[in-house]
Amino acid sequence: MSKFKKKKSGDLPAISTASLPDIVFMLLFFFMVATTMRETTLMIQNDLPFADQVEKLQKKDLVMYIYAGKPSARYQSQFGTEARIQLNDKFADIGDIKQFILQEKESKREELQNKLTTSLKVDQETNMGLVSDIKYELRKAEAYRINYTTRTGDAAQNMQ
């Protein structure tokens, strides 16, 4: 008589699901870290002009965005067709820019406050007087680093 019995059936053993929760949580963590959320909802028409000498900003967390252009079709009944300024998720007046810049500076660490860049995303149909007013308010708020956001292409396309 033998002490050990061999299994006669050739069935495969069941697949172990012990590591499945680890894999699910690892994927969940990856997508939580890698996903970026949209910061603002664009309420204006923003057809950016073309430029042929374009540089990419390195640190986007140090950029404050000011949008300018005509309200999109959804908001024209409420705000008209005149070019407007959008700060974050709301329309603003020229006088609100200084307060916006100061709030953005205060939300950053002290050593980063002087490295903040203001990026103007201005529709190509926007009047240059509005852009001059924005720049004047930025000077009053001591925000001297200004960037104009454009599309890459031939500048002659802006005349068409």
Side-chain angles (χ1 to χ4, degrees), residues 85 87 92-100 133 137 140:
I85 298 171
L87 305 173
D93 294 324
I94 295 289
D96 298 333
I97 293 176
K98 185 174 182 178
Q99 184 64 30
F100 169 73
D133 292 343
E137 286 296 317
K140 286 181 14 183

Side-chain angles (χ1 to χ4, degrees), residues 71-93:
S72 61
R74 180 178 178 187
Y75 299 100
Q76 283 183 356
S77 63
Q78 197 173 12
F79 297 103
T81 58
E82 188 75 23
R84 303 282 311 247
I85 298 171
Q86 179 182 342
L87 305 173
N88 290 335
D89 281 336
K90 62 179 179 163
F91 286 115
D93 294 324

